[in-house]
Amino acid sequence: MGISVFILAGLLVHCVFLVSIFDIYFSSPLVHGMTPQQTPLPPPAKRLVLFVADGLRADSLYKLNSNSTPPAPYLRSILENNGSWGISHTRVPTESRPGHVALIAGFYEDVSAVAKGWKENPVEFDSVFNESKYTWSWGSPDILPMFAKGATGDHVYTFCYTAESEDFGAQDAAELDMWVFDHVKSFFNSSRSNQTLFSALNEEKVVLFLHLLGIDTNGHAHRPNSREYKENIKKVDEGIKEIALMIDNFYGNDGKTAFILTSDHGMTDWGTHGAGHPSETLTPLIVWGAGVNYPQRVSSQKFEDNLLKEWKLENLKRLDVNQADVAPLMASLIGVPFPLNSVGTLPLEYLNNSAHFKAESMFTNAVQIVEQFKVKMSQKRETTLSFLFTPFKPLSDSEQINYLKKARLYIQQQKYDEAISLCKTLINLALEGLSYYHTYDRLFLGLSIATSFVGWTTYVILVIIKTHTNLTKAVQTNNKESTVLFYGFAFVGMIIAFFLLIQTCPWTYYIYCLLPVPVWYAVVKELPVIQDLAANLLSHNMVQSVGFIFICILGIEILVFSFFYRSTLTLGLLVFAGWPVITQLWAQAKTNASIWTLLCVLLAIFPLMPVVGREPNIPLVIATGLLTLLISCFSLASLCKTKNKYRNKEDLKVYFYQMLSIALSTYVVSSTHDSLKNKQGLPLLNQIISWMTLVSSSVLPLLSSTFLIQRLFSILLSLMSTYLLLSTGYEALFPLVLSGLMFVWINMEQEALQRYGLSLKPKLAVFNFTYTTDITQFRQLHLDDVRRSFFFVFFIVTAFFGTGNIASVNSFDPASVYCFLTVFSPFMMGSLLLLKVVIPFVLVSCAFEAIQVTTQLSSKRYSKCYISASVRVSNLFCKNSELPNLNLSLKTKANQTRNPAQTKPSRSHCYFYLLLRFWFLFNDFYKLRNSFCTVK
């Protein structure tokens, strides 16, 4: 296989791996074609007012202040005297769009919506708003339009403020909520002189939706325990009181209005949301008005969280629900059909109605969910051969009919409690069946991808061993056997394609299922290499072989555990600290070994620190900037004293520009923090400097000196200037310590190479990758290269998870991007947060690129560049002629946006990711040598 074909094949294979993750795990749960289901009895309310206080935590509303006064007096009086209350349990991801979809449409949205910034509808869905006669809504342009866009007809109206109003650096984000309240008042006042609008407002099945974003914005900007957050809650409480009184007066206190207050998600103490911390998943729910139960006094009640005593609500019955249960509750109150895709269960304890009404409503709820189950089952049955189809046995066609007939009979016999209990059982079974059919093909597709991955990994390893080691001998190919082998695999591929065709499977299934065929064909063709390798391994000492394999497995296990426990990285770094002692490098290079040990210990501290953003420390960021400047000055002075001075004044200018950039970044961080603290917003000059620094950081290294160490230091300075702008605390020190360790690692590898007589240590300081280098022989791979590869993988993982930066993406902490923008922009903010995650990885990649070149691991004049998951970002800096690439951790990102059923990565996926990196690391030994020099 030629190099071009190999590169293209590797690229395609890994693209399939990437896309398969989303197809297998993140496909939409929605189905269409169901019949709307509506309770046949008259509803208790004509209209519903829904207040969603974005980012409001349950404890922030229910817990009394230090002086024993409630933070929201009106709402407190409602739950104590007029309505029912409880906690709405949200699911990951705890973001605004998924939360609102769960509340209003009744289902938990799949992660594909993140591709559109949680704003647009990847798949159209039904909602309470769509089923209503009229819906008027006020609030954020990020939330309201998606429900209007998915509605049929012209009956969902939105009134939004401008996107620029959502500014985290604004003087008072509570103004967003005041805007909503003021416009609702103006709307009702204007209806008195508009007969058409007045008539529409007096119709039945009307919904009024008030989205209140100020609390969320103040929580991000000032934290939930701040004065601003608490005052915003009080203003919302006053606004809700005024709106409720105004609406009651408008309708002449007819007692036909139901009110619901809740939140889409909570917020952590450090002002983020997106993950599954209780402060993010516990949201308040208060319901009052028409058709709603009054407060229920109880002597005692038990909950695992023990919050009732803290909130002084032990004697008021707490009615907890899942977030999706609010949608059927709203539908039942105003008598509209339940949203077609709702998976919520009607919380009957909130209803103040007859037992007959409750039974009929629960029956409707059960039929609506069973309808989804039937459509899902029908779709899967149509795309599966009859003898291969395995139905969901607990809810067969006959069982469905029996459940529904028996429930209807109970209602006719006025055995309402029995009917309700039976309907709840049916709902639970239908939900299990929905999950069963939604994941029906997951195992099949997962095995296909795993087979492809194992095959591709095996093939690459065999090619490396065959081409770049002396473990095998050349074997002539048998054309006859090759022909038989080819036709054999072609026949298998035809059989697979035939089965997929008659089952009318999606076209992507053909790719996933047929990919193993050519991959394993390539592996089987290398069977002589496998035989030679097995014979070679068996000839070695078994104890040593088993010991080596054990160490490899142990190392990979440590990396796997680091996905779940960051502190595992600390253990690994402490082991690394003892590497010079174990390998006797300590006696060979005491100074470098001592620095290596010190820096490993310092780096080991970071995984033990809290996740980035929890404890902002701007003075530490500023001190880091000053420390970087100091190091730059010492470095410049040192370089000027040596014989290897900059070749010309241009190199010196670039160096000073980078130092200036560091100084400006330090100033911008300090100035922006002070400005936001004083509620003066983001200064325009600071914003311009930040963006210019970001752009220049990718250009200046390309103009710097071409001496190896100087180029690497230039890369560090440029990336540090951007990283400082994205830092909020201790993580600002992380790239400095990491880079220091990388510089020492380069020198330590030269010390390790001395045993082979190949060290370039004397020439390291003057190594220039633009000069033509004539190296007639290159060494073969040996076991030490496996250790070197493992070091690289470990440092890559440390770069990603060492400071918890990835959590800033998962929990969406916008504080890191305030130097660039403060107006809410999910794609731009997310991109900047990802850049912050990637910067440490770039530093490690550049260092390893330098190690690769200086350890003389090119094999031929035309080196093979193997495609792997570790796409090399360092080429952007280390070789001006190559296109830049971007390495993003598929698994980490996928994990942060995974649907609720998979909030943690499985061990198999961790192994997938780690093995993908570990085995393909050998591509680094084949990188084109002219990344740094021209090879003869």
Side-chain angles (χ1 to χ4, degrees):
M1 184 183 293
I3 181 64
S4 300
V5 177
F6 191 90
I7 291 175
L8 180 60
L11 182 61
L12 291 176
V13 166
H14 286 90
C15 285
V16 172
F17 291 161
L18 174 65
V19 174
S20 69
I21 295 295
F22 296 92
D23 252 0
I24 297 172
Y25 292 97
F26 302 137
S27 58
S28 174
L30 302 187
V31 291
H32 299 89
M34 291 80 69
T35 304
Q37 303 295 324
Q38 182 176 351
T39 305
L41 301 179
K46 289 185 176 180
R47 66 200 71 90
L48 172 79
V49 183
L50 173 64
F51 301 96
V52 177
D54 204 307
L56 177 61
R57 292 163 39 149
D59 62 341
S60 296
L61 180 66
Y62 293 142
K63 186 178 180 180
L64 299 179
N65 295 324
S66 56
N67 56 2
S68 297
T69 60
Y74 175 71
L75 291 173
R76 183 77 177 199
S77 67
I78 288 293
L79 69 88
E80 288 180 347
N81 304 302
N82 302 101
S84 296
W85 75 283
I87 289 178
S88 172
H89 295 266
T90 69
R91 289 191 183 181
V92 176
T94 47
E95 299 287 353
S96 291
R97 178 194 164 101
H100 281 88
V101 169
L103 288 170
I104 299 166
F107 70 92
Y108 302 103
E109 192 168 34
D110 65 288
V111 78
S112 60
V114 77
K116 297 190 176 183
W118 299 120
K119 292 184 179 181
E120 299 295 332
N121 303 339
V123 179
E124 297 301 331
F125 56 84
D126 191 24
S127 69
V128 173
F129 294 174
N130 184 45
E131 298 293 351
S132 68
K133 185 69 174 293
Y134 293 105
T135 292
W136 287 276
S137 55
W138 296 263
S140 168
D142 299 320
I143 299 299
L144 305 188
M146 67 179 176
F147 294 104
K149 182 179 178 180
T152 56
D154 185 23
H155 66 281
V156 179
Y157 306 99
T158 61
F159 304 90
C160 307
Y161 38 74
T162 62
E164 290 72 21
S165 302
E166 300 177 19
D167 191 343
F168 296 108
Q171 290 187 0
D172 189 2
E175 292 300 320
L176 298 175
D177 300 336
M178 298 301 103
W179 185 98
V180 171
F181 292 135
D182 291 341
H183 278 70
V184 173
K185 294 174 187 176
S186 300
F187 175 79
F188 273 89
N189 290 334
S190 66
S191 69
R192 300 184 185 278
S193 58
N194 185 330
Q195 188 58 41
T196 303
L197 178 59
F198 185 82
S199 299
L201 281 170
N202 281 277
E203 293 278 0
E204 295 181 351
K205 303 177 182 178
V206 168
V207 177
L208 304 171
F209 172 42
L210 284 70
H211 176 236
L212 309 170
L213 185 63
I215 294 174
D216 181 76
T217 307
N218 270 322
H220 282 304
H222 306 289
R223 308 295 186 256
N225 294 319
S226 65
R227 176 180 55 83
E228 290 82 0
Y229 187 88
K230 295 178 180 178
E231 288 183 354
N232 202 151
I233 293 175
K234 188 174 182 180
K235 290 181 179 180
V236 165
D237 180 68
E238 294 170 353
I240 291 174
K241 178 181 180 181
E242 294 175 3
I243 295 297
L245 292 174
M246 180 198 69
I247 290 176
D248 284 339
N249 292 333
F250 181 85
Y251 291 105
N253 295 305
D254 62 354
K256 291 294 182 179
T257 306
F259 298 90
I260 295 180
L261 168 90
T262 187
S263 176
D264 53 348
H265 56 76
M267 187 170 289
T268 61
D269 289 338
W270 47 97
T272 67
H273 56 81
H277 192 274
S279 60
E280 300 168 87
T281 59
L282 302 184
T283 59
L285 176 63
I286 302 176
V287 189
W288 71 100
V292 180
N293 256 332
Y294 286 95
Q296 302 175 52
R297 306 288 174 178
V298 293
S299 58
S300 64
Q301 46 187 332
K302 295 182 180 179
F303 287 91
E304 293 181 0
D305 49 36
N306 297 318
L307 293 172
L308 290 171
K309 186 174 182 181
E310 182 181 347
W311 295 343
K312 309 296 182 185
L313 292 170
E314 309 99 302
N315 299 323
L316 290 175
K317 190 171 183 179
R318 168 179 153 185
L319 308 174
D320 284 14
V321 301
N322 292 320
Q323 195 171 47
D325 299 341
V326 177
L329 174 61
M330 292 191 291
S332 179
L333 286 172
I334 59 175
V336 300
F338 286 35
L340 294 175
N341 295 111
S342 172
V343 295
T345 302
L346 177 63
L348 293 176
E349 290 182 296
Y350 277 88
L351 297 180
N352 181 18
N353 216 315
S354 65
H356 186 199
F357 180 86
K358 292 180 180 180
E360 286 287 0
S361 297
M362 186 57 70
F363 182 81
T364 302
N365 193 182
V367 173
Q368 170 259 322
I369 295 178
V370 169
E371 282 285 319
Q372 294 181 70
F373 170 80
K374 291 165 66 177
V375 171
K376 197 82 171 179
M377 179 178 64
S378 176
Q379 289 179 350
K380 192 52 60 182
R381 179 178 285 162
E382 290 173 0
T383 58
T384 307
L385 294 175
S386 57
F387 67 90
L388 294 177
F389 179 71
T390 306
F392 182 66
K393 294 181 180 179
L395 199 59
S396 61
D397 292 341
S398 59
E399 286 293 326
Q400 297 174 36
I401 296 173
N402 289 338
Y403 272 110
L404 293 174
K405 281 186 175 180
K406 189 178 290 187
R408 174 51 64 191
L409 182 62
Y410 280 146
I411 293 175
Q412 292 173 353
Q413 296 174 348
Q414 298 185 3
K415 297 180 179 179
Y416 301 124
D417 291 339
E418 290 86 344
I420 290 171
S421 176
L422 191 63
C423 288
K424 288 182 177 180
T425 302
L426 179 57
I427 287 173
N428 291 333
L429 286 174
L431 292 176
E432 289 180 19
L434 279 173
S435 176
Y436 172 79
Y437 286 119
H438 182 61
T439 60
Y440 189 85
D441 293 331
R442 181 170 294 178
L443 178 62
F444 165 63
L445 295 177
L447 287 175
S448 297
I449 292 299
T451 304
S452 300
F453 172 71
V454 172
W456 179 257
T457 302
T458 305
Y459 176 67
V460 173
I461 294 173
L462 290 175
V463 171
I464 292 172
I465 292 173
K466 175 182 176 181
T467 312
H468 306 292
T469 70
N470 54 7
L471 298 177
T472 61
K473 55 186 178 182
V475 180
Q476 291 184 348
T477 58
N478 188 316
N479 292 332
K480 185 177 180 180
E481 291 181 359
S482 297
T483 302
V484 173
L485 194 63
F486 173 80
Y487 284 112
F489 274 91
F491 178 74
V492 172
M494 291 173 63
I495 295 296
I496 294 173
F498 175 75
F499 271 96
L500 295 175
L501 181 63
I502 61 178
Q503 294 183 98
T504 61
C505 293
W507 64 271
T508 52
Y509 281 34
Y510 288 82
I511 298 175
Y512 302 147
C513 297
L514 290 174
L515 182 60
V517 176
V519 169
W520 279 99
Y521 169 69
V523 172
V524 176
K525 280 184 65 177
E526 302 295 339
L527 185 59
V529 178
I530 299 176
Q531 294 172 341
D532 286 349
L533 178 61
N536 193 298
L537 290 177
L538 291 174
S539 65
H540 286 76
N541 187 306
M542 290 300 296
V543 176
Q544 291 181 352
S545 300
V546 171
F548 177 75
I549 293 173
F550 174 77
I551 291 174
C552 289
I553 294 175
L554 180 62
I556 294 177
E557 279 292 332
I558 291 175
L559 290 176
V560 171
F561 277 101
S562 70
F563 277 72
F564 303 95
Y565 311 102
R566 285 173 53 223
S567 57
T568 308
L569 296 173
T570 298
L571 175 63
L573 287 167
L574 292 177
V575 173
F576 279 15
W579 170 55
V581 178
I582 298 172
T583 58
Q584 297 181 347
L585 286 174
W586 182 271
Q588 187 176 328
K590 289 186 177 179
T591 302
N592 282 333
S594 299
I595 298 175
W596 166 272
T597 301
L598 174 63
L599 290 175
C600 280
V601 172
L602 289 177
L603 196 64
I605 297 174
F606 287 93
L608 300 177
M609 300 290 284
V611 170
V612 165
R614 296 192 179 186
E615 297 179 6
N617 193 336
I618 300 300
L620 183 57
V621 179
I622 297 170
T624 303
L626 297 175
L627 177 61
T628 306
L629 275 177
L630 184 62
I631 294 173
S632 302
C633 292
F634 278 115
S635 176
L636 179 62
S638 176
L639 289 171
C640 290
K641 290 179 180 179
T642 62
K643 296 180 180 180
N644 283 320
K645 297 183 180 180
Y646 286 91
R647 292 182 299 168
N648 52 53
K649 293 182 178 180
E650 295 301 321
D651 293 335
L652 194 59
K653 287 181 181 179
V654 170
Y655 196 90
F656 279 116
Y657 285 146
Q658 290 178 315
M659 293 179 63
L660 178 62
S661 181
I662 293 289
L664 287 174
S665 295
T666 305
Y667 163 77
V668 168
V669 169
S670 176
S671 175
T672 300
H673 174 73
D674 291 340
S675 179
L676 294 177
K677 189 175 181 180
N678 295 326
K679 298 183 180 181
Q680 296 175 353
L682 172 61
L684 179 60
L685 178 61
N686 290 11
Q687 190 174 22
I688 293 173
I689 293 174
S690 297
W691 285 107
M692 290 180 64
T693 300
L694 176 62
V695 173
S696 66
S697 65
S698 61
V699 176
L700 288 178
L702 305 179
L703 306 176
S704 64
S705 171
T706 53
F707 289 104
L708 177 62
I709 299 300
Q710 295 172 26
R711 172 61 67 96
L712 291 175
F713 192 72
S714 174
I715 293 171
L716 170 62
L717 290 182
S718 287
L719 294 181
M720 271 302 296
S721 62
T722 299
Y723 199 86
L724 286 171
L725 295 171
L726 294 168
S727 298
T728 59
Y730 75 89
E731 81 273 17
L733 282 168
F734 183 71
L736 274 184
V737 179
L738 181 64
S739 296
L741 186 59
M742 293 300 99
F743 279 108
V744 179
W745 185 27
I746 295 172
N747 284 277
M748 291 293 289
E749 291 296 349
Q750 293 303 313
E751 298 288 351
L753 276 179
Q754 286 190 7
R755 72 185 69 175
Y756 304 104
L758 297 172
S759 177
L760 292 177
K761 183 182 176 184
K763 301 178 181 179
L764 202 58
V766 295
F767 191 92
N768 193 318
F769 53 84
T770 60
Y771 293 165
T772 300
T773 304
D774 187 7
I775 303 176
T776 56
Q777 287 190 352
F778 301 94
R779 65 181 176 84
Q780 297 280 5
L781 297 175
H782 48 68
L783 287 180
D784 206 33
D785 295 321
V786 178
R787 187 268 310 160
R788 191 173 290 110
S789 297
F790 179 78
F791 272 30
F792 174 62
V793 177
F794 190 91
F795 286 136
I796 283 291
V797 175
T798 303
F800 270 106
F801 301 112
T803 63
N805 268 326
I806 199 69
S808 63
V809 182
N810 182 44
S811 294
F812 187 68
D813 180 10
S816 295
V817 303
Y818 283 166
C819 289
F820 294 91
L821 73 164
T822 54
V823 176
F824 179 68
S825 175
F827 274 125
M828 186 61 68
M829 288 180 165
S831 298
L832 290 170
L833 289 172
L834 284 175
L835 174 63
K836 182 181 180 182
V837 172
V838 168
I839 284 176
F841 159 75
V842 176
L843 295 173
V844 175
S845 297
C846 290
F848 192 68
E849 188 77 7
I851 290 172
Q852 172 197 329
V853 172
T854 56
T855 52
Q856 305 175 31
L857 274 171
S858 291
S859 64
K860 296 180 181 179
R861 183 175 179 180
Y862 299 99
S863 303
K864 291 185 176 180
C865 177
Y866 288 109
I867 303 300
S868 74
S870 298
V871 180
R872 188 67 59 222
V873 180
S874 57
N875 284 342
L876 174 62
F877 302 112
C878 294
K879 194 184 81 170
N880 300 357
S881 61
E882 284 190 3
L883 292 175
N885 295 303
L886 182 62
N887 183 335
L888 296 180
S889 170
L890 164 66
K891 186 62 236 166
T892 53
K893 185 57 187 171
N895 175 41
Q896 285 142 32
T897 54
R898 176 167 290 197
N899 65 35
Q902 301 108 13
T903 56
K904 277 191 174 184
S906 65
R907 285 182 66 84
S908 61
H909 275 76
C910 289
Y911 276 115
F912 179 98
Y913 167 79
L914 289 168
L915 288 172
L916 190 72
R917 288 187 173 278
F918 182 75
W919 290 114
F920 282 131
L921 278 176
F922 284 100
N923 92 88
D924 290 295
F925 300 133
Y926 305 99
K927 290 297 287 184
L928 294 173
R929 184 162 178 89
N930 59 6
S931 292
F932 286 90
C933 60
T934 303
V935 181
K936 278 189 175 182

